[in-house]
């Protein structure tokens, strides 16, 4: 499929199930497993969210030693698919090595690929990202790349073999929502058949609902739930927001107007001059 073909631009994405690399996922909410007050609260939040996939940082858990092993056992006991990630990697080579280790540890070809360019914004290094994606796809990985809304990089990633794209909404952990909705809408129209997951920057359930109303296939979030006053209740709130946003998109949102349009038509309605009534 060529995403440049005119008849595909503006094509409404499928309204069927959320499927990535041939696997149907029961929920459009993906949840991170870091920053929670305790492992048990994390597990409770995952269950409350109904998330279909959780992400796990291999580098972070390795640093925990034996505590990390217990944490991974808890993750494996959850009724969800595990998506290991290469969080913290700064070069393509580092990300490739981490991915290979994750495949051995989790016995999965799935990898959320992160190659970070800047410590202040945690923006993806698009050059390193494409390099690593090409190498990992050739090595049999199913790559979930954390990227920006840059269409050129997205084309390169799809060309490298990525069958899903994960553009950021805003920098990781900022909670600012969709910083560039115009570019994200353009990306959605440009890749109508590629699953698109908003990854990073989501801070409130309303942000997630907005992304789903725009036609994105899913949202991945972590900090907004983990750092909430009540992570379990917040996980439930996000699950409901994503479900509502998706239902609104599938149902067909009304078009915005520049001028008012009465909900009750006035044509044919009788008018009476009450001032002249006796």
């Amino acid at each position: 499929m060529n995403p440049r073909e005119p008849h595909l631009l503006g094509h409404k994405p499928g309204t069927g199930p959320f499927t990535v690399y041939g696997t149907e996922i029961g929920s459009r909410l993906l949840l991170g497993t870091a920053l929670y007050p305790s492992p048990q609260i994390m597990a409770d939040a995952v269950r409350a969210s109904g998330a279909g996939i959780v992400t796990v940082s291999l580098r972070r858990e390795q640093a925990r030693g034996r505590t990390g092993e217990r944490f991974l056992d808890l993750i494996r006991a959850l009724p969800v698919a595990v998506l290991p990630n290469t969080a913290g990697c700064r070069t393509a080579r580092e990300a490739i090595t981490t991915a290979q280790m994750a495949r051995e540890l989790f016995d999965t070809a799935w990898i959320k690929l992160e190659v970070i360019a800047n410590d202040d914004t945690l923006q993806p290094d698009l050059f390193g990202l494409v390099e690593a994606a090409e190498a990992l796809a050739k090595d049999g990985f199913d790559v979930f790349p954390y990227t920006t809304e840059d269409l050129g990089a997205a084309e390169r990633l799809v060309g490298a073999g990525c069958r899903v794209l994960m553009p950021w909404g805003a920098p990781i952990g900022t909670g600012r929502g969709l910083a560039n909705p115009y570019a994200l809408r353009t990306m959605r129209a440009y890749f109508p058949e590629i699953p698109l997951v908003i990854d990073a920057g989501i801070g409130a359930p309303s942000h997630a609902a907005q992304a789903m109303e725009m036609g994105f296939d899913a949202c991945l979030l972590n900090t907004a739930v983990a750092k909430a006053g009540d992570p379990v209740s917040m996980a439930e709130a996000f699950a409901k927001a994503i479900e509502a946003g998706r239902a609104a998109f599938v149902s067909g949102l009304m078009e915005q107007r520049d001028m008012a349009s009465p909900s009750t038509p006035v044509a044919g309605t009788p008018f009476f001059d009450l001032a002249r009534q006796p």
Side-chain angles (χ1 to χ4, degrees):
M1 180 195 74
N2 181 359
R4 291 182 181 273
E5 294 179 19
H7 72 280
L8 292 179
L9 295 179
H11 169 68
K12 187 173 182 178
T15 56
F18 176 42
T19 302
V20 288
Y21 290 106
T23 299
E24 183 177 325
I25 308 300
S27 169
R28 294 176 183 272
L29 172 59
L30 287 68
L31 204 57
T33 56
L35 305 176
Y36 290 85
S38 72
Q40 188 58 54
I41 291 176
M42 179 277 297
D44 290 344
V46 170
R47 292 189 178 94
S49 73
I53 296 174
V54 296
T55 62
V56 179
S57 170
L58 177 62
R59 290 166 60 91
R60 184 181 297 116
E61 301 316 321
Q62 281 184 313
R64 292 182 177 182
R66 291 184 177 178
T67 302
E69 292 178 7
R70 291 195 295 271
F71 181 82
L72 293 178
D73 288 340
L74 180 61
I75 293 292
R76 293 188 182 100
L78 293 172
V80 293
V82 176
L83 175 61
N85 69 40
T86 63
C89 293
R90 297 297 194 274
T91 66
R93 180 181 293 275
E94 189 178 12
I96 292 168
T97 300
T98 302
Q100 291 169 338
M101 295 171 62
R103 180 165 59 183
E104 294 298 321
L105 180 61
F106 291 100
D107 191 27
T108 178
W110 285 11
I111 191 72
K112 183 193 171 193
L113 180 61
E114 298 183 27
V115 183
I116 301 302
N118 182 279
D119 289 336
D120 292 324
T121 65
L122 299 179
Q123 178 173 339
D125 175 356
L126 298 180
F127 300 100
L129 183 67
V130 171
E131 178 186 347
E134 289 176 340
L136 290 172
K138 289 178 181 178
D139 193 24
F141 281 89
D142 296 331
V143 182
F144 296 66
Y146 164 59
T147 184
T148 68
E149 61 273 32
D150 184 277
L151 294 182
E155 281 194 298
R156 291 285 302 276
L157 290 167
V158 172
C162 297
R163 295 294 173 260
V164 59
L165 298 172
M166 304 180 73
W168 66 351
I172 294 172
T174 61
R176 302 189 65 87
L178 307 185
N180 194 344
Y182 169 77
L184 290 171
R185 286 192 183 94
T186 301
M187 190 177 198
R188 176 70 283 178
Y190 202 80
F191 295 99
E193 305 299 335
I194 297 291
L196 299 182
V197 180
I198 292 292
D199 178 10
I202 296 293
S206 57
H207 299 157
Q210 180 188 9
M212 300 306 293
E213 289 170 2
M214 291 166 57
F216 282 84
D217 294 279
C219 290
L220 192 161
L221 51 118
N222 188 166
T223 309
V225 171
K227 289 297 186 180
D230 184 342
V232 177
S233 294
M234 186 60 75
E236 292 177 345
F238 269 103
K240 293 175 181 177
I242 287 175
E243 183 178 351
R246 180 63 181 179
F249 170 74
V250 173
S251 300
L253 294 164
M254 66 170 285
E255 295 183 3
Q256 294 184 356
R257 298 172 177 268
D258 292 326
M259 301 294 290
S261 176
S263 57
T264 302
V266 297
T269 303
F271 291 89
F272 301 95
D273 186 352
L274 298 180
R276 295 184 179 180
Q277 298 298 315

